[in-house]
Amino acid sequence: MPTAVALFTADLRLHDNPVLHAALRAGGEVVPLFVLDDAVRDAGFLVPNRAAFLVDCLHDLDAGLRRRGGRLVLRSGDLTEQVRRVAEEAGAAEVHLAADVSGHARTREERLRRALGAAGRELHVHDTVVTAVAPGAVTPAGKDHFAVFTPYFNRWADCALRTPLDPPRALAVPPSVGSLPIPSAASLAPGRPSPALPAGGESRGRERLAAWLDGPLDDYAQGHDDLSRDATSRLSPYLHFGCLSATETVVRARGRGGEGADAFVRQLAWRDFHHQVLAARPRAAHHDYRPRGDRWRTDPQEIEAWRAGRTGYPVVDAAMRQLAHEGWMHNRARLLAASFLTKTLYADWRTGARHFLDLLVDGDLANNQMNWQWVAGTGTDTRPNRVLNPLAQARRLDPDGAYVRRWIPELAGVPGPAVHRPWTLDAAVRRGLDYPDPVVDLDHALARFRAARGLD
C-alpha cells in the first residue's frame, strides 16, 4: 500500500489543508508529521508565548486526527534528518509540505529535496496553504513583486481563490512509525508565557472565526481603529500557526459581505502582500528594504523605557503593556509603538522587531519585519518620513482614554482625555502618580529625526 508523509509546519489544521489532502490522495496510509526543529529553537524563535500556543495546537491536531482513526507523529531534532528517517520507516514514496517564504523555509525545502531525492523519494511543495494568494502569483510588468500595496491589492482582489477543502473523514497511519509525546511548553521554551495568552488550536480558531463572522465583522470598517473598543478579530495567532486557512477565511468573509467584510479582507491582503515582498527580498527580514542612510541612536535607558511601557506617553505605554500581558497587540497600537521607537526615539527598527518577536504569539517573520520596516521608513511605505505623533494618535484612537486606563493602573483615576497628558496635571496630583515624565520632548525628537533624514 502506498504511503505518503504530510509534513505540518505553519498549517496546523485539518480543514482546508492542501498538504494533508494531497498526501491522502496518494491513495494509502499517511504519516501526519510534525518536527520540533532544532533550527527554529536555535534561532530564538521558539519563545514562551509561541511555545505555549504551539503545544495547544499540537494537542488539538492530534485529537482531531485520532477522531478520524489517525494520530500525530512527533519528532525532534534536525528536520531534514527526522523527515528522512520517518519516510524510510514508513516506506513513503512522497513527502508533502506547504510553501513558505522565509530564508529558513527555503533552506529547509532545498535540504529536504536533496535528502529525499537521494533516497528515490519525491518532495511536493504546495502553494496557497499559508497565504490566500501565492507569493509571485501576481506581479507588476517587468518586476518580481509589488512594492506598493494598493496596486497589489487591486490585482490580488481579482485572483480566483481555490475552493476550500473539507477535512478528511478518515485516515490510517502506519503502526510501525513511532512518535514522541507532545512536550510541555516549559520544556520547549523555559519562562512564563503572558498571563492572558489565548489558547491555541484549530478548534479554538474555528470557534473564534465563526463568532467573528456572526456579527462583529459587520462593524469592523467603523471600529477597527478604535483602541478602546477592541473591535478586531484577534484571529492573527490562528492564521500564523495555520490553525485557520487564509483562503477559507477570505472566502467566508466575502460570503458574509458588506463594508466590514471588505475592510477585513483588505487586511488579510496586507498579510499576503508582506509575504510576497519577503519572498522576493528574503534579506529584508534583517536588512533595510530601502536604505535611508540612518545612523540610529542607541540609548539603553530610552529603549528599556519603551519595552517596559514607561516612556511617559500613556498610549504608547498602554500598547507595550498590552503586549506583555496578552502576547498580542492591537494593529494600530503596533504601528504607534513602532513609530515612537523608530521615529521619535530614532532607534533601529530591528531592536523593536526583535522585542515584538520575543512576545507576539502571532510573531510572523514576514508581517512583523515588513511592518516594522514600513513604519521605520526603510520598507514599502510611500511616505517614509511620516511620524505618528502619540498625542494626536491618542486623540483619534482613544479619545476618552479608556484604552490607557485599562492598561496603566497608575492613571486609572485620571478622567477623560487628560489621561493622555499626565505631565500637565496639577503638581499635587502628579506626585501621587507612580508614572514617569516623558523620556523625550516630541518637538525636539521630530526635529532630530528630520535632521537625520536630511529633511531640513
Side-chain angles (χ1 to χ4, degrees), residues 75 82 84-92 121 174 176-178:
R75 296 293 175 93
Q82 294 303 318
R84 186 196 65 77
R85 288 182 184 179
V86 167
E88 183 177 338
E89 291 171 21
R121 297 184 169 91
S176 60
V177 179

Side-chain angles (χ1 to χ4, degrees), residues 127-199:
D127 286 327
T128 66
V129 181
V130 174
T131 58
V133 173
V138 293
T139 56
K143 297 182 180 179
D144 60 357
H145 73 289
F146 279 94
V148 180
F149 174 73
T150 298
Y152 171 79
F153 176 69
N154 291 336
R155 293 279 301 280
W156 182 95
D158 288 336
C159 287
L161 303 186
R162 59 175 178 78
T163 301
L165 302 165
D166 291 331
R169 294 182 179 179
L171 72 164
V173 180
S176 60
V177 179
S179 174
L180 296 173
I182 297 174
S184 67
S187 68
L188 293 178
R192 300 183 65 179
S194 295
L197 191 73

Side-chain angles (χ1 to χ4, degrees), residues 22 30 154 184 290 319 431:
V30 172
N154 291 336
S184 67
R290 287 175 174 156
R431 284 194 294 270

Side-chain angles (χ1 to χ4, degrees), residues 381-393:
D381 189 2
T382 55
R383 294 172 54 196
N385 299 311
R386 81 176 84 198
V387 177
L388 300 181
N389 181 300
L391 299 180
Q393 292 292 306

Side-chain angles (χ1 to χ4, degrees), residues 63-371:
L65 288 165
R66 289 181 184 276
R67 287 193 295 271
R68 292 162 172 83
R71 59 188 170 91
L72 181 65
V73 173
L74 183 72
R75 296 293 175 93
S76 179
D78 177 79
L79 183 137
T80 301
E81 177 59 18
Q82 294 303 318
V83 174
R84 186 196 65 77
R85 288 182 184 179
V86 167
E88 183 177 338
E89 291 171 21
E94 301 176 357
V95 173
H96 295 264
L97 169 72
D100 211 338
V101 299
S102 70
H104 166 70
R106 292 180 174 195
T107 300
R108 176 180 65 196
E109 181 182 328
E110 291 170 4
R111 291 185 64 207
L112 277 171
R113 196 177 300 282
R114 287 197 302 267
L116 293 171
R121 297 184 169 91
E122 295 184 47
L123 177 67
H124 298 274
V125 180
H126 301 272
D127 286 327
T128 66
V129 181
V130 174
T131 58
V133 173
V138 293
T139 56
K143 297 182 180 179
D144 60 357
H145 73 289
F146 279 94
V148 180
F149 174 73
T150 298
Y152 171 79
F153 176 69
N154 291 336
R155 293 279 301 280
W156 182 95
D158 288 336
C159 287
L161 303 186
R162 59 175 178 78
T163 301
L165 302 165
D166 291 331
R169 294 182 179 179
L171 72 164
V173 180
S176 60
V177 179
S179 174
L180 296 173
I182 297 174
S184 67
S187 68
L188 293 178
R192 300 183 65 179
S194 295
L197 191 73
E202 180 180 16
S203 299
R204 293 295 184 94
R206 295 189 71 78
E207 289 171 3
R208 188 178 288 274
L209 175 61
W212 171 246
L213 295 174
D214 196 35
L217 171 64
D218 295 342
D219 296 325
Y220 183 74
Q222 288 74 35
H224 72 280
D225 280 346
D226 188 333
L227 294 176
S228 64
R229 283 182 58 187
D230 195 15
T232 63
S233 71
R234 290 182 175 256
L235 294 175
S236 56
Y238 303 95
L239 288 164
H240 170 63
F241 280 86
C243 304
L244 291 176
S245 154
T247 298
E248 183 186 1
T249 302
V250 171
V251 169
R252 292 180 65 180
R254 284 175 171 170
R256 174 79 183 188
E259 187 181 11
D262 291 344
F264 178 62
V265 168
R266 186 179 177 88
Q267 291 303 310
L268 294 171
W270 268 105
R271 182 175 181 271
D272 281 11
F273 172 74
H274 286 141
H275 276 79
Q276 61 96 38
V277 172
L278 193 62
R281 299 290 183 272
R283 278 176 49 86
H286 304 290
H287 299 273
D288 290 349
Y289 176 83
R290 287 175 174 156
R292 303 293 179 187
D294 290 300
R295 296 184 179 181
W296 303 108
R297 297 175 64 252
T298 302
D299 186 318
Q301 290 184 324
E302 290 182 357
I303 291 172
E304 181 53 34
W306 176 82
R307 288 192 182 111
R310 300 278 293 175
T311 68
Y313 289 97
V315 73
V316 174
D317 295 341
M320 299 305 292
R321 296 190 195 187
Q322 181 183 24
L323 172 62
H325 188 75
E326 296 187 346
W328 184 88
M329 191 195 296
H330 190 290
N331 182 57
R332 295 302 305 185
R334 297 186 198 204
L335 299 179
L336 178 55
S339 177
F340 189 86
L341 182 74
T342 59
K343 302 285 181 64
T344 303
L345 299 184
Y346 197 48
D348 195 327
W349 64 266
R350 283 159 282 247
T351 300
R354 179 68 260 176
H355 182 69
F356 271 30
L357 284 179
D358 285 344
L359 290 173
L360 283 172
V361 66
D362 62 11
D364 177 274
L365 191 68
N367 284 284
N368 186 66
Q369 309 302 85
M370 297 317 303
N371 266 317

